Amino acid sequence: MNRERRKVIRSIGAAGAATLGAPYLNLAHAQATPIPIGVALPLTGNAGAYGPDMAEAAKRTAEKINSAGGILGGRKLELYIEDSESSAAVAANLSHKFINVHKAQSLLGYWGTPEGMSSRPIAVQNKVVLMVSSAANAITEGDTQGYVWRFQMKATDWGTVISRATLKLGFRSVGVMGLQNAFVLPIQKVFEEQMKANGRKVVDSLIYNPEQPSYRAEVERVFGKKPDAVYCFGLLPDFVSIMKEVYRGGFESKVVALSIMADAEGKFVQAVGNKVAEGIRHFQPMPDVAAPGYKKFLKLMGAPADRVFLFPPNTHDQIAITALAMEKAKSPMAVDWSKQIVAVGNGPGQEVDDVVEALKLVRAGKPVNFQGAGSTCDFTPNGDQLGRGMGQWVIRNGKSEFVEYAKP
Amino acid sequence: MLQTAFNGVVTGVIMALPALAVTLLFGVLKFPNFAVGAMMTVAAYLAFALNAQLGWPLAAATVAAAVAMGALCIGIDQLTFRPLRERGAITLMVASLGLGFILENVARFAYGNTARSFAIELARPFRFADVRMNHEQMITIAVSSAAMIAMWVLLTRLPMGRAMRAVADNPSLALVRGIESPRVIRWTWFLAGVLLALGGVLIGMDRALEPPMGSNYLISVFGAAILGGLGSPLGAFVGALVIGVVSELSTLVIAPNYRIGIPLLAIAVILVFRPQGLFGQPYIRR
Amino acid sequence: MISFLILIGIVICFSAILALALNFQWGLGGMVNFGLTGFYALGAYSSALLMLKAGANTFVAALGAMAIVAAVCGLVAFVTLRVTEEDYFAIVTLGVGEMLRLVALNEDWLTKGALGLTGVPRPFGAAIPPQYYQYFLLALAMTLLLATLWFLGRLARSPFGRLVRAVREDDVVAATLGKNVLWVRVRIFAIGGAIIGLAGSLHGFYYQYIDPTQFSNIVIAYAFMAVIAGGRGAHRGAILGAAIVMLLLEGSRFLKDVIPALDSDRLAAIRVIMIGAGLILLLIYRPQGFFREYRLRADFK
């Protein structure tokens, strides 16, 4: 064997050993064995803007529970937070890693539809719980054996709420533009159906691709027909381009969008400026900001009282429900505690919105009905969430003004 | 329809600059450079840094970014392509692919994935002969045309331009006449860098700044350059306009989300009927 | 932990098969395929759709996918190379790859568009209990990898292999010797396409869910890196290259556990920069890779 090959094989051996050995290097904790929880969130990629705050919420919630003594007799929650890169394949690999390397029985986060879809069979096959924060209906369809739980409003419900609000706003003709994307399509379909069913004219409806060099032609086509309003469903980068085209073209139709495009924590207005953003209406499922559970969450995150967090409360709730269900089942294994999720979330029991308080009650054997930060955490048997509502805002002078909160 | 055609013209002039860069680089260096998209991205972000973060007016920021990009391109060539010069077009293409990944992700590393915009006022439209236009588009057309004319003057009148054409045609013969390839190559890269920077800023103005902004245009730009004839600057300009206009007009008949197929179709048609493009010369491999 | 390694092993296997295809098309045949990702998607979708829509079993579906991708690759090569130089070939493959991905994304009556295809069947999925399935899949993947390797090795040593190399080194000479250069190239590209189809099918069996976001540009970078690292033309090298690239990728995930200071957003960008830089450095300093291509020895007696 020549020298070259030996060198190569040695370096591969080293890389392989490092890969094998690395996880073992991290086990510094020698206390009561911590409970591993896998958290996959998009920190990069298309959805990279939404992940970091969700991760922060997860961390703080776990810290809060751990400093109050943890669960199951003093065991602390140990989070493994990884970047799903907004990709289905990466999320699937991460799910395998969480289950097989870190021995997690709870997979949380999973913001996007592809991530949820690819990880669902893995969770069900391995009998661990998957909690997603994505809207596409398909994720909870079929037999999930009680392992898949959605902490978000179902996509078709979005269409329903937006349509109802539209009817109230009195638009007689609408145009629709949607991004070629898994969660947009069901929303768009329901919305169009409802419009037609209520006698409103849909002047044009089209789908556009992400990453196109220009959206001029699409804007020209839909806005050119001069509907009362145009509904855009998509993501931030394409919406920035579209709105710039709309402004430059001098089109007058009102624009309605989703908050992940038109707000995105202020990044939209930052990118296009006040003039372009003026008058845009946006919707998003949101927590009930009047609820005490949400207010406590704001304090936990150290945020001002008027801050609206769209997704981070979901990760808080995912961790809380996991902890509560584990405590109630007196077991960290998903086969046991997955059956307790509905019990701790729906009740019947004492309504409590602080997870530490709730844990104390559960330990004392009292029934609880946990009210989360993002929603009341009431579930249907197949894993969908009830009781979520959507917020509606209008952008005026660069700021989003709250209009109303409505449920499907 | 006139409106759509005009929109196509605007799209076309935006593409003309990178198409020109591609054709220049191909003419002198003899390989299609797949990193041009990412180079536009980096230059646009350089301008962004000066404009939105340091408060320079966009025009000044663009000029500075263009010069910087030109110099950067020379450096990149020295590091990446010069050692591979003798290896043949395919190796150079693969290297340019890798380079494209590097540049795009440097931009991503520095600025993340969020869409950004230059700090300029957006234009409102005015009507002219039943067509809606705005002054931003006028500027785009003016800048692009000026750059074209400047290039044309350079290539036909100035000694460096003639030297570039000589090297493009036959490097060894050019050497006999005292024209040294390395110097010509440096100038070619500098010019390409300037053109790509201008193109990048125009794209940033037109759409938005985000890491994939340049690569999104890659196929259209190559389509334009091939249609016009690789190696012919006039061809690049005309090719870009044709592709721009046809792409926009095509949305009247086919679904808009497939209009990326137009440059591909153009490439296919050209390759079948007239491989040297509209204005190129039949390429004889030596 | 063992489970995780087995799963990574499966991923390495079908990535290696993809690298072998590129190695055959480019390393041996001299034809750059910048549309690799698109053809890979075509293979995965074809296999899944044959099973889901046409009710084929996994074996037939995989063969079908191989045939479809081979046909498309052959067609592209035929149409393009008949009329043009190789420089344009790369651009055309890039364009075709993009179109294939666009079709996958937009034609949702066929591919379910962005929602993707779920519940993709796997070979003997019903017969083998889930906790043992990964061992079976690994064995299957490795068998297919070795079979591909054997096949390509035989091909390289056969008269066709010599023809391929002759055409790559100097097609003018080959043409003057009466060889139909175009037909050789079409066959090379088509055979490579069949192997890509096989890799795509395995991809579907492993993930059981196919959506357009799985086929991004990075796949091409990894494949080229693997082939270059392994040594163009050297089949075993391509496999080793794929293993190295995949280990580096998955291994760098563990880096984050050990060095929490690295921001994930930046880490992802750094990873791609490393791949791109690695590509260029290998091309400059070690173009022959770490393994040598099988070279025919002329025996002088």
Side-chain angles (χ1 to χ4, degrees), chain A residues 215-216 219 241-251, chain B residues 206:
Chain A
Y215 292 105
R216 233 190 308 276
V219 167
S241 303
I242 290 176
M243 283 317 298
K244 276 163 80 166
E245 288 299 337
V246 171
Y247 186 78
R248 284 201 285 239
F251 296 108
Chain B
D206 185 56

Side-chain angles (χ1 to χ4, degrees), chain C residues 143-201:
Chain C
T143 312
L144 288 171
L145 178 61
L146 290 171
T148 309
L149 187 64
W150 175 83
F151 171 71
L152 289 176
R154 287 295 306 269
L155 208 58
R157 285 169 180 64
S158 74
F160 181 67
R162 288 197 287 273
L163 190 54
V164 166
R165 243 181 259 107
V167 164
R168 180 191 72 193
E169 300 298 337
D170 197 328
D171 56 341
V172 177
V173 170
T176 49
L177 287 174
K179 303 297 174 190
N180 186 338
V181 171
L182 174 67
W183 182 226
V184 170
R185 289 210 163 112
V186 168
R187 274 186 294 171
I188 295 173
F189 214 59
I191 293 175
I195 301 175
I196 296 176
L198 180 64
S201 305

Side-chain angles (χ1 to χ4, degrees), chain A residues 262-263 266-270 272-279 282 394-401:
Chain A
D263 183 38
K267 297 200 178 75
F268 174 69
V269 176
Q270 223 173 44
V272 299
N274 291 5
K275 289 219 194 89
V276 176
E278 185 68 22
H282 52 102
V394 176
I395 303 182
R396 301 240 182 267
N397 282 323
K399 288 214 140 359
S400 289
E401 287 176 3

Side-chain angles (χ1 to χ4, degrees), chain B residues 34 79-80 83-84 87 89-90 93-95 97-98 101-102 105 109 219 222 226 230 257-258 260 264 271 275 285, chain C residues 26 30 32 34 83 85 87-88 90-91 95 98-99 102-103 106-107 217 220-221 266 272 276-277 279 283-284 287:
Chain B
F34 286 89
L79 279 177
T80 311
L84 298 171
R87 301 275 196 76
I90 296 187
M93 275 195 276
V94 175
L97 187 75
F101 281 121
I102 295 179
N105 281 277
F109 185 84
I219 298 190
F222 271 106
I226 292 178
L230 276 178
N257 44 2
Y258 275 115
I260 194 74
L264 286 178
L271 289 182
R285 214 155 39 116
Chain C
W26 177 42
V32 187
F34 278 167
V83 294
E85 304 293 331
D87 300 339
Y88 294 124
I91 300 173
E98 281 304 305
M99 276 307 279
L102 263 188
V103 167
N106 284 295
E107 298 303 308
N217 283 324
I220 281 216
R266 300 236 155 106
V272 182
L279 203 71
L283 279 176
I284 296 178

Side-chain angles (χ1 to χ4, degrees), chain C residues 73-134:
Chain C
C73 279
L75 188 66
V76 169
F78 180 68
V79 170
T80 317
L81 291 174
R82 197 156 60 94
V83 294
T84 182
E85 304 293 331
E86 290 134 22
D87 300 339
Y88 294 124
F89 188 68
I91 300 173
V92 171
T93 55
L94 179 70
V96 172
E98 281 304 305
M99 276 307 279
L100 286 170
R101 281 201 289 154
L102 263 188
V103 167
L105 183 61
N106 284 295
E107 298 303 308
D108 47 348
W109 58 272
L110 181 67
T111 65
K112 290 251 211 111
L115 202 55
L117 299 167
T118 54
V120 177
R122 26 168 62 166
F124 301 113
I128 303 182
Q131 58 264 43
Y132 300 121
Y133 193 79
Q134 58 200 19

Side-chain angles (χ1 to χ4, degrees), chain A residues 27-140:
Chain A
L27 292 180
H29 321 278
Q31 305 139 343
T33 24
I35 296 178
I37 295 183
V39 182
L41 289 168
L43 300 170
T44 59
N46 285 342
Y50 315 120
D53 278 339
M54 293 173 78
E56 189 60 31
K59 272 193 232 158
R60 291 190 187 208
T61 311
E63 261 162 39
K64 177 173 166 172
I65 296 179
N66 288 345
S67 7
I71 61 171
L72 293 175
R75 295 175 72 173
K76 298 209 192 288
L77 300 174
E78 180 162 26
L79 298 183
Y80 291 92
I81 303 184
E82 301 260 8
D83 180 10
S84 67
E85 296 177 29
S86 314
S87 146
V90 173
N93 285 335
L94 285 179
S95 305
H96 280 301
K97 180 171 174 245
F98 293 147
I99 296 174
N100 291 304
V101 177
H102 302 301
K103 311 276 183 252
Q105 289 282 306
S106 179
L107 307 179
L108 315 179
Y110 292 86
W111 183 90
T113 298
E115 287 108 319
M117 292 295 287
S118 69
S119 303
R120 181 192 132 134
I122 301 174
V124 175
Q125 268 162 22
N126 285 281
K127 302 201 188 315
V128 304
V129 167
L130 174 69
M131 294 182 171
V132 304
S133 179
S134 29
N137 292 26
I139 292 188
T140 49

